[in-house]
Amino acid sequence: MNGTTNRKDSGYLSGEAGDQKFKELNDRVRYLENYDTVTGLPNRTLFIAKVSETILQQSSMGRNNAILTVDLDNFKKLNDTYGYLIGDELLRIAAFKLKSCVRENDFVARIGGDEFFVLLAGFDDIELIKKVSERILSVFNDIWKIINHEFYMTATIGIAIIPEGKADVSVIMMNATSALYGAKSKGKNQYQFHEHGINEKLMHMHNMENSLRCAVERDEIVVYYQPQVNAQTRRITGMEALVRWQHPKHGVILPSKFIDLAENTGLIIPIGNRVIELICEQNMKWKNTGYGTFHVAANVSARQLQQTGFVSFIKEVLDKTEMPPSCLEIEITESAIVKSMKTTVYILNKLRELGIKISLDDFGTGYSSLGYLKTLPVDKIKIDRSFVIDIGKNMKTEAIINAIIILAKTMSIDVIAEGVETNEQADFLIMNGCSDIQGFLYSKPIPEGQFTALLSDQKVIFEDDSWFYYQI
Ligand code: C2E
Ligand code: CA
Ligand code: CA
């Protein structure tokens, strides 16, 4: 043996057998690095790797992820009293029960002691976390039988929602643990969210965004119509289209609850475009069933107006529905224009070339409304409700309303007042030359079915000459 080592003699195996043994050892080491030997569940290392990977995958898809930490109440006491064999068995049962409570693509791990972690990956609704937590609490709250012993067990859960984008897994795990302590201090056998309020709110927004994304495809975008009437005859001359989100769970949702979100996410474009399609289709239905033609005003945000191809989109809708362009009105607000005046004016002019009317919404609430009248191609202004509300209460506001009407008339711009709620307000407006009004005095925004009923009533009333003044 001239100094060289015989691998066989020194315990090494050669050839295939050696490779096999090496592979087994390697697998065993891998296993021990990643799994817990008592329960067979993934351990901390694998859990952290899995969570990091999920954050990367799921956040780009805009879905939610959360971490739950589940702790067996009184485990330590039982382990100390009955010994580790029973303790280990309790942990194995706990692992089994936990896995039975979650979905297949969720990830259950044992981090140490009686600390279990669950990754709930890629879900849409916060309700899922609550459901899973309640299921765990109820499955754990039981008499656990081990050999000849019976143990009454419960569990406590801490929950941390994984924020979007970059997130530090160990911080999220700590958040879940601190929520767990919170729940324990309140008396165990319950679950708690980390920073409850904030996370729930975030989740709510996130859930809203996810469902708003599907709202157009699912036909949940509907339009309510608010009549615009001639102040004297109360005859309907047109209407404003106001979007509503017909949510399958929450019912009719007002724009104030989702327009900002739609603006920030760009969803306003498909939603707003859908509104335009719907109102043109509906108006042609009314026309074709003999109710007459009316102008219909759509609210259009800056983002919507400036989308590429907006003008051609409008043209396509008008062509497809055969809606006369002069019946379509686009309502824009001053604040929507301010940011990019030049582009806005360009687009508004293009729309006007098609024959569409432009109406300046919330008139008087901006900083330089009068100045805009000079620059903007505008056919109509809407006196804002904040002025109308002051009628009969504030003489200065009344003087401003009067001045606005006179100015509009001299510029050959139509005027309508919105938010008219009382006869006193209507009378003042009539007296000062504002012939068109819109507001609760006549009708709230209503679904198309109810609007059809209003049109039917009007038809009957106005076909009969003895009815001149009609009021609800
Ligand atoms: P807006 O354009 O100023 O619409 C008028 C709002 O005042 C409507 O609220 C309407 O229901 C309410 N209103 C009408 N008459 C009266 C009244 O006599 N008294 C009172 N107190 N309120 C009255 P709504 O439908 O909740 O819409 C809120 C806002 O959401 C709209 O304000 C508009 O800015 C926006 N919006 C509505 N539909 C759309 C849409 O299709 N696209 C876009 N981008 N925005 C929309
Ligand atoms: Ca409006
Ligand atoms: Ca308005």
Side-chain angles (χ1 to χ4, degrees), residues 67 102 109 132 166 221 252 268 280 352 371 383 451:
I67 283 180
V102 299
V132 171
K166 262 194 174 169
I221 297 300
V252 176
I268 192 68
C280 291
R352 272 180 122 198
I383 301 177
F451 202 92

Side-chain angles (χ1 to χ4, degrees), residues 299-318:
N299 292 283
V300 172
S301 75
R303 195 160 177 179
Q304 221 181 322
L305 194 77
Q306 285 161 21
Q307 69 179 283
T308 344
F310 182 62
V311 180
S312 21
F313 164 78
I314 297 273
K315 193 170 170 343
E316 266 169 42
V317 177
L318 293 175

